[in-house]
Amino acid sequence: MTDDTDAAGPAPFTAADYAARMAAAAQSAAGAGLAGLLIAPGPDLTHLTGYRPTAETERLTLLVLAAGQDPVLVVPALEAPDAAKAPGAGALTLRDWADGKDPYALTAPLLDLRGRFGVSDNTWALHLLGLQRQLPNTSYAALTDCLPMLRAVKDARELERLAAAGAAADAAYAQILHLPFAGRRETDVAADLAALLRTHGHSQVDFTVVGSGPNGADPHHEAGERVIRHGDTVVLDFGGLRFGYGSDISRTVHVGEPTAEERRVHDIVREAQQAGFAAVRPGVACQDVDRAARAVITEFGYGDRFIHRTGHGIGVTTHEPPYMVEGEEQPLVPGMCFSIEPGVYLPGRFGVRIEDIVTVTEDGGRRLNNAPRELAVVE
């Protein structure tokens, strides 16, 4: 399986695109003092090769990258035909292994006998232990720890896909406002959101949070059987993949006219979200985006009710580095994409969250979501 482009969408990535990504990753590994990278099925493999196995199994699939040597993808023989069709296959060497053979013995000669390797976060322990048996003097570090920014900076063609995903999420939000809320279960509205995302081109829906009334005070509330009532504040947070890249948007609506307090809290969160966006520019530390948004909420007395980080990166997954959180000193770089999503959560009562995806430009930031941020009144 490859990235889900279609005739009406962005031009597909080419073997040259993937070759450039793999070469850059290998150089980044060398710069970090690593002997190379070991990439298992998952978002890193999709990003670097365009290959997404139809199923992740106990059979070893592993991309081996190291500066100065050609990329090699070790695959089970029965999956080699599909791997050969991946858009990045022309930029690497496929090495297959048959059932009954030892895949770790096949892979070991590709690795430095005493090297330290960066390993994709979702690599199975089964496979890492198998390599360690073959190469007991090697050592390993998770990519999140040793190369957290591997996928963080997007090129123009990736930004095109993220913008398309964001526009589709905006369109889904515009339509959900015209559907009924009161008298329906949270799961009903969540199903509507999922259907609208697919209508607007999403191939995958990752989440549809619908938190009504007191459930909105739980930032990651799973849509449940609660019936939405007139007078409820409702947090909507939804997203997925379009053209292989993520969307993630949050808006807060109200069923019927809100109270003065509900409007005030929403206004505070909207001001905080704007402050976070205004802080975005190259060279600014990720934590400064968090600080800017958090300062507004704290100023109005709700600092202890903003209980999560301000944002997360997005790309071939809907959550990835960098993170907009206190202690993250990574400077912003043009092409980085991440959410800005402050919130206020009042237990037992209601919650408010407003979220956009933003990309860093040469002189500031650009929103990839443009849906209205005002408190919408629904029926």
Side-chain angles (χ1 to χ4, degrees), residues 148-226:
M149 298 300 126
L150 181 67
R151 305 195 314 263
V153 178
K154 275 64 179 180
D155 62 29
R157 296 171 72 184
E158 291 180 289
L159 290 173
E160 181 182 8
R161 287 162 168 77
L162 284 161
D170 286 352
Y173 175 69
Q175 286 187 258
I176 201 72
L177 297 180
H178 298 287
L179 297 179
F181 280 68
R184 302 175 71 214
R185 297 171 300 173
E186 292 173 342
T187 51
D188 297 328
V189 176
D192 287 341
L193 284 170
L196 287 169
L197 284 173
R198 292 190 175 97
T199 295
H200 291 286
H202 278 59
S203 61
Q204 177 176 312
V205 176
D206 287 345
F207 50 90
T208 50
V209 172
V210 179
S212 64
N215 289 341
D218 176 0
H220 280 173
H221 171 70
E222 293 280 347
E225 297 303 305
R226 183 181 186 275

Side-chain angles (χ1 to χ4, degrees), residues 162 166 246-249 273 277 312-314 318 337-341 355-359 366-369:
L162 284 161
S247 68
D248 187 357
I249 185 174
Q273 210 262 356
F277 174 69
H312 58 81
I314 190 168
T318 48
C337 294
F338 49 85
S339 66
I340 299 179
E341 50 180 304
E355 173 186 16
D356 291 326
I357 300 303
V358 170
T359 184
R366 175 169 67 95
R367 296 182 190 268
L368 300 185
N369 292 109

Side-chain angles (χ1 to χ4, degrees), residues 179-189 210-216 224-235 253-258 262 348-350 376-379:
L179 297 179
F181 280 68
R184 302 175 71 214
R185 297 171 300 173
E186 292 173 342
T187 51
D188 297 328
V189 176
V210 179
S212 64
N215 289 341
E225 297 303 305
R226 183 181 186 275
V227 175
I228 301 170
R229 305 168 185 167
H230 191 273
D232 279 348
T233 300
V234 185
V235 177
V253 303
H254 198 273
V255 186
E257 285 300 317
E262 288 165 334
R349 301 181 63 208
F350 66 93
V377 174
V378 296
E379 298 299 326

Side-chain angles (χ1 to χ4, degrees), residues 199-376:
T199 295
H200 291 286
H202 278 59
S203 61
Q204 177 176 312
V205 176
D206 287 345
F207 50 90
T208 50
V209 172
V210 179
S212 64
N215 289 341
D218 176 0
H220 280 173
H221 171 70
E222 293 280 347
E225 297 303 305
R226 183 181 186 275
V227 175
I228 301 170
R229 305 168 185 167
H230 191 273
D232 279 348
T233 300
V234 185
V235 177
L236 306 174
D237 182 354
F238 53 99
L241 299 182
R242 185 181 187 207
F243 303 127
Y245 281 74
S247 68
D248 187 357
I249 185 174
S250 297
R251 292 292 186 266
T252 301
V253 303
H254 198 273
V255 186
E257 285 300 317
T259 65
E261 181 191 20
E262 288 165 334
R263 281 199 179 276
R264 178 175 180 272
V265 172
H266 190 278
D267 286 345
I268 291 167
V269 173
R270 186 168 56 151
E271 183 177 337
Q273 210 262 356
Q274 175 59 32
F277 174 69
V280 174
R281 60 185 181 277
V284 166
C286 292
Q287 67 180 0
D288 289 335
V289 177
D290 180 89
R291 288 173 176 176
R294 200 169 299 275
V296 173
I297 291 174
T298 300
E299 177 186 353
F300 285 99
Y302 292 97
D304 62 340
R305 305 272 39 104
F306 180 9
I307 56 177
H308 55 73
R309 65 197 176 201
T310 292
H312 58 81
I314 190 168
V316 292
T317 60
T318 48
H319 288 74
E320 63 185 44
Y323 298 104
M324 306 301 114
V325 65
E326 183 65 32
E328 179 52 79
E329 297 179 350
Q330 167 68 39
L332 299 182
V333 176
M336 284 182 173
C337 294
F338 49 85
S339 66
I340 299 179
E341 50 180 304
V344 168
Y345 307 94
L346 305 179
R349 301 181 63 208
F350 66 93
V352 174
R353 183 164 65 257
I354 302 172
E355 173 186 16
D356 291 326
I357 300 303
V358 170
T359 184
V360 184
T361 65
E362 294 297 329
D363 58 1
R366 175 169 67 95
R367 296 182 190 268
L368 300 185
N369 292 109
N370 294 293
R373 295 167 197 91
E374 295 79 13
L375 180 59

Side-chain angles (χ1 to χ4, degrees), residues 29-171:
L34 300 169
L37 301 178
L38 306 178
I39 308 298
D44 294 315
L45 186 65
T46 301
H47 172 72
L48 291 167
T49 69
Y51 180 47
R52 188 184 303 143
T54 53
E56 295 180 25
T57 73
E58 74 284 355
R59 293 183 173 94
L60 178 70
T61 297
L62 198 69
L63 174 67
V64 180
L65 296 178
Q69 68 183 54
D70 292 337
V72 177
L73 180 62
V74 177
V75 294
L78 76 168
E79 295 177 10
D82 285 340
K85 296 174 185 175
L92 51 77
T93 298
L94 284 176
R95 186 167 297 185
D96 62 18
W97 60 276
D99 283 353
K101 302 296 183 181
D102 185 347
Y104 311 111
L106 173 72
T107 306
L110 303 173
L111 308 185
D112 183 327
L113 298 179
R114 298 180 180 276
R116 181 170 178 78
F117 294 87
V119 181
S120 51
D121 293 358
N122 55 334
T123 303
W124 284 22
L126 170 72
H127 300 318
L128 201 56
L129 292 170
L131 288 173
Q132 285 182 314
R133 284 194 299 271
Q134 289 286 328
L135 301 168
N137 293 317
T138 52
S139 60
Y140 306 91
L143 284 186
T144 287
D145 294 329
C146 62
L147 283 179
M149 298 300 126
L150 181 67
R151 305 195 314 263
V153 178
K154 275 64 179 180
D155 62 29
R157 296 171 72 184
E158 291 180 289
L159 290 173
E160 181 182 8
R161 287 162 168 77
L162 284 161
D170 286 352

